Amino acid sequence: MIGTGSIGAAAIGGAVLMSGSAVAEVGDHTFSAETIEGTSDDGSIDKIKVWADNVEFSYEGLNDPAVEATVELQAVDPDGNAEAIGGDDGRHTTASIGGQSQNNVSLDETLEGDVLDHSGISADHFEEDGNGESNTTEDVDLRLEVTVTTNADDNVVGDTDADLEVIMNNLHQDADVGSDTDASGEIVSSEHIGTSPNNESGNGDDADQEGVLSVYGRHDEDERVFTVELEEPWSDEKEDDANLGLGFDVNQGGTWDFQVNWSSEEGFFSENEERDDFDEVPEFDGTKDGETLVFYVDDDEFDGDTFDFVANSSYGGHTHANVSADGENAWSPGEDFTSSEFFITVDVSETEVDEYDG
C-alpha cells in the first residue's frame, strides 16, 4: 500500500439496477484506503496496497434461486477501464446464499489488492520527482463488484465505486528512509504522527519551531520504524547540545517505558542506559543522513499497535520543538521525569505499503 501513511476510511454502497428487474447491492463495508499517503526518499513508489473490510451484499428479483456469489476488488483507470487487482486475495466466492432475494449477506473475508496490478495504471502516474514536493492524484477509483449466479447459470452483476486519492511525498533526495531494497526507493508508506507547532518559548527564545520537527511511523514485520525530519540547527552535528528524543509509554500506564535518542555529542543512545531505575534497555538501531533520522525499534518492545508517544528536539540546551499533546512541553517533571503526561496516543499498525517497504 502506499502508505505511509494516512489511511482514511469511507463507507460506500448503493443499489445497482441490473439485467431485467434483478438488483444486486454492495453495501455497508469499509474501504481502508480512500485516501492513502506515501513517503519515499526519491518520490518513487512500488505498490499501492488497498483492501476492503466488512463487505456485505444483497440481491433481489432473480428469476431463479441464487447458488453462489463472488465479490471482487477492482481498480478503475482514468479511462474508465476496470480490472481485478488482487488475484485470489482480491476475490471471494460464497455458496451460503439461496432464494431469489437475500439481504445483507456478509462476505466475512478481507479483500486485498495492489492498484499497480491494473494494466492501465503505472507507478509514474503517482510518483513525484521533485525534491521535497508532493503529488496528489484523484482520478483512480476502487470498485467492488458482486456477481450472483443462479441455478440456471445466469449471472447478475452489481458494483459500487469509491474515489481513491493518492498523496506521494518526496523526502530529501539524500534521505535514508530505511528501505531493505536498493536505492531505487520503494514506498515508505509511513503514518504521519505529528509536526511541531509554532509556540512561543517560555524562556524568551525567538527561534522558529513551526514545522522543524516532523515524525512518521510504520510497522514492518519485526520492527517499528520512526522517520524524523529535523531541520537545522536541531539536526546539526556541529551544534552544541543538538538532540532529539522519542519517548514511548507502550502500555499507556502513565510513565514512559523507554526513550530512543540522538545527540550531536553521543550519537544514538537510550535514556534507559543512563538511569538506574530502568532494568531494560530497548533493542533499537538508528541512522542519520543530514536532516533525516531513522529509528528502528524491535517489535518485541511494544505491547500492541497503539501506544503513547512524544518527540522532543532541542539545541543549545534550551530551545525546544515538540510533537506532544501540550505542544510547548514534552517531558513532565512528574514521577521523577518519567511521567507521560504530555504524550499523544498513536497507532502504528502493520499496514504496509509494500509493507511500507521503504
Side-chain angles (χ1 to χ4, degrees):
M1 46 199 283
I2 79 173
T4 155
S6 342
I7 299 176
I12 60 176
V16 181
L17 186 64
M18 297 174 302
S19 58
S21 60
V23 173
E25 178 182 343
V26 182
D28 289 344
H29 72 284
T30 297
F31 261 127
S32 298
E34 183 194 30
T35 301
I36 47 183
E37 182 174 358
T39 303
S40 67
D41 54 355
D42 60 359
S44 64
I45 185 171
D46 181 69
K47 292 184 180 181
I48 303 177
K49 185 176 177 181
V50 294
W51 64 93
D53 298 303
N54 306 319
V55 179
E56 294 182 346
F57 63 92
S58 304
Y59 57 91
E60 63 182 42
L62 305 182
N63 292 329
D64 300 285
V67 293
E68 70 174 23
T70 298
V71 181
E72 184 175 73
L73 178 61
Q74 302 175 347
V76 185
D77 67 16
D79 295 327
N81 301 310
E83 287 185 12
I85 58 171
D88 291 340
D89 292 331
R91 181 187 308 108
H92 182 68
T93 298
T94 178
S96 58
I97 60 172
Q100 293 166 276
S101 299
Q102 193 167 345
N103 294 320
N104 302 324
V105 182
S106 177
L107 195 60
D108 294 328
E109 292 284 339
T110 296
L111 303 180
E112 300 180 349
D114 177 8
V115 173
L116 299 185
D117 283 348
H118 191 297
S119 63
I121 301 175
S122 62
D124 58 14
H125 181 75
F126 305 95
E127 292 173 343
E128 174 53 61
D129 57 9
N131 184 26
E133 298 180 3
S134 295
N135 175 38
T136 302
T137 64
E138 301 181 64
D139 53 355
V140 174
D141 286 339
L142 299 178
R143 172 174 294 179
L144 285 178
E145 181 179 270
V146 57
T147 301
V148 180
T149 302
T150 72
N151 63 5
D153 288 331
D154 293 326
N155 292 330
V156 291
V157 180
D159 59 54
T160 186
D161 290 359
D163 295 333
L164 175 63
E165 178 180 66
V166 179
I167 304 171
M168 191 61 211
N169 299 301
N170 185 336
L171 290 176
H172 295 285
Q173 290 176 353
D174 61 353
D176 177 5
V177 294
S179 174
D180 293 329
T181 63
D182 61 27
S184 61
E186 291 183 320
I187 186 66
V188 166
S189 180
S190 295
E191 300 284 344
H192 177 236
I193 292 175
T195 296
S196 59
N198 187 16
N199 294 315
E200 293 185 7
S201 175
N203 56 21
D205 296 320
D206 57 0
D208 184 10
Q209 298 147 24
E210 183 174 11
V212 301
L213 171 62
S214 293
V215 186
Y216 304 84
R218 73 183 193 270
H219 182 180
D220 286 340
E221 292 182 357
D222 56 358
E223 61 190 3
R224 310 293 174 92
V225 182
F226 300 88
T227 300
V228 181
E229 287 289 288
L230 183 59
E231 291 185 5
E232 307 289 2
W234 276 264
S235 65
D236 192 344
E237 296 174 357
K238 298 179 181 179
E239 179 72 38
D240 291 341
D241 299 321
N243 66 80
L244 168 77
L246 306 182
F248 300 85
D249 179 359
V250 296
N251 62 2
Q252 299 176 292
T255 58
W256 55 263
D257 298 292
F258 62 89
Q259 291 183 35
V260 293
N261 305 270
W262 168 87
S263 76
S264 55
E265 180 180 0
E266 299 184 57
F268 288 92
F269 66 96
S270 168
E271 183 72 14
N272 294 47
E273 296 174 292
E274 310 296 324
R275 300 178 61 109
D276 57 13
D277 52 349
F278 285 96
D279 296 328
E280 300 294 331
V281 176
E283 293 288 335
F284 86 100
D285 195 6
T287 62
K288 183 178 186 296
D289 190 344
E291 298 178 355
T292 300
L293 295 88
V294 185
F295 294 84
Y296 306 87
V297 184
D298 193 286
D299 190 49
D300 290 340
E301 303 292 346
F302 296 87
D303 292 343
D305 291 329
T306 302
F307 50 88
D308 288 349
F309 170 90
V310 77
N312 166 254
S313 60
S314 68
Y315 74 95
H318 52 270
T319 301
H320 291 261
N322 303 304
V323 173
S324 67
D326 181 77
E328 293 187 29
N329 296 286
W331 312 112
S332 169
E335 301 290 335
D336 190 23
F337 281 95
T338 66
S339 170
S340 56
E341 174 185 1
F342 300 130
F343 286 31
I344 57 176
T345 300
V346 301
D347 184 341
V348 179
S349 305
E350 186 157 14
T351 43
E352 318 155 305
V353 174
D354 180 284
E355 239 120 310
Y356 266 7
D357 229 334

